[in-house]
């Protein structure tokens, strides 16, 4: 990137010639040297160099808000079960997608390393008596939370599921939207993909088979992690 020269051009004189900064050392003619201008040029260069980093950070924030990042990490290919006696959410969206395993994953089988999923996005969610388990082959890694007075809470929650069941109720639901036009949870899916959205969602006796979960904030009061002979 081109920048201004460090030496003042003809007719330009440094400002504040009376300053006592180290850059203002008088020369033989009694005028200040070009150090102050060089200092200003270096400051401008530092500001210019900071711009790309600022743009990248802003871009990531926008992509996250639009759901373009979504679940972009390579999934393990090991499904896990999530249950809750009740889920309540504000700002609900749902659409189809594909999750990808790491190249050469031993869990790929004959799938080509891809899993067809339904992505559910909720802007604000609470869950009562959350249970999550993953079968490790002979034993289960079990996580429980929200069994007491305080519920599990999450913001910008997304789950990629192959199965979902429960008793559901929606407020102001829209079915058949193009996934790229969704507005309720701040997430946009792929263009041309069938989707639905609603102002609120309530699911009693929730049960999911998931391959990925993300959240902006996930609070798990009364968290317990342990190995168990049985899952959720």
């Amino acid at each position: 990137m081109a920048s201004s020269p460090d030496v003042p051009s003809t007719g330009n004189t440094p400002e504040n010639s009376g300053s006592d900064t180290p850059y203002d050392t008088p020369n033989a003619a009694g005028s200040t040297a070009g150090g102050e201008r060089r200092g200003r040029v270096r400051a401008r260069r530092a500001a210019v160099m900071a711009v790309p980093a600022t743009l990248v950070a802003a871009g990531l924030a926008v992509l996250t808000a639009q759901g373009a990042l979504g679940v972009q990490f390579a999934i393990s290919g090991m499904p896990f079960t999530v249950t809750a006696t009740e889920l309540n959410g504000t700002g609900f969206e749902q659409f189809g997608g594909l999750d990808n395993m790491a190249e050469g994953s031993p869990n790929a089988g004959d799938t080509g390393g891809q899993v067809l999923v339904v992505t559910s996005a909720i802007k604000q969610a609470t869950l009562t008596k959350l249970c999550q388990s993953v079968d490790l082959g002979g034993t289960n890694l079990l996580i429980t939370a929200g069994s007491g007075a305080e519920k599990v809470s999450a913001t910008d929650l997304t789950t990629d599921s192959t199965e979902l069941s429960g008793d559901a109720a929606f407020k102001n639901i829209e079915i058949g939207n193009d996934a790229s036009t969704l507005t309720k949870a701040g997430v946009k899916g792929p263009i041309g993909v069938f989707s639905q959205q609603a102002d609120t969602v309530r699911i009693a006796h929730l049960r999911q088979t998931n391959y990925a979960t993300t959240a902006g904030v996930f609070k798990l009061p009364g968290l317990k992690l342990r190995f168990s002979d049985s899952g959720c």
Side-chain angles (χ1 to χ4, degrees):
M1 180 180 293
S3 59
S4 303
D6 289 349
V7 179
S9 59
T10 304
N12 290 338
T13 57
E15 299 175 0
N16 302 325
S17 59
S19 170
D20 58 357
T21 63
Y23 295 117
D24 294 338
T25 305
N27 59 19
S31 63
T32 58
E36 183 177 344
R37 180 174 176 81
R38 286 195 295 272
R40 293 199 302 273
V41 170
R42 282 193 290 268
R44 287 199 299 272
R45 286 175 177 167
V48 170
M49 292 299 290
V51 168
T54 303
L55 291 177
V56 168
L60 287 175
V62 171
L63 287 171
T64 300
Q66 292 180 343
L69 292 182
V71 179
Q72 288 298 314
F73 55 80
I75 63 171
S76 69
M78 298 176 65
F80 55 95
T81 300
V82 173
T83 65
T85 57
E86 184 176 87
L87 176 148
N88 284 281
T90 301
F92 171 80
E93 300 173 357
Q94 199 170 62
F95 53 89
L98 277 175
D99 283 352
N100 294 277
M101 302 177 202
E103 186 175 354
S105 171
N107 300 319
D110 59 359
T111 66
Q114 291 186 320
V115 180
L116 181 64
V117 296
V118 174
T119 296
S120 301
I122 304 177
K123 191 64 179 176
Q124 301 282 344
T126 60
L127 300 100
T128 304
K129 294 184 179 179
L130 173 70
C131 179
Q132 176 180 301
S133 64
V134 56
D135 187 349
L136 301 177
T139 189
N140 292 270
L141 179 61
L142 187 68
I143 296 174
T144 57
S147 297
E150 189 176 358
K151 300 178 181 179
V152 170
S153 62
T155 61
D156 298 319
L157 175 69
T158 67
T159 57
D160 286 3
S161 312
T162 54
E163 293 184 27
L164 187 155
S165 63
D167 300 318
F170 302 92
K171 181 179 179 181
N172 294 331
I173 191 169
E174 302 170 2
I175 301 174
N177 309 61
D178 188 293
S180 68
T181 67
L182 297 175
T183 59
K184 301 294 185 179
V187 174
K188 295 185 184 300
I191 190 170
V193 172
F194 181 92
S195 69
Q196 59 185 5
Q197 65 178 357
D199 288 345
T200 65
V201 58
R202 177 185 178 274
I203 304 177
H205 314 299
L206 171 69
R207 186 174 189 87
Q208 292 177 302
T209 299
N210 293 346
Y211 277 85
T213 298
T214 65
V217 176
F218 210 177
K219 295 183 178 180
L220 299 159
L223 172 67
K224 292 183 181 179
L225 184 152
R226 59 194 181 279
F227 292 102
S228 173
D229 292 337
S230 59
C232 298

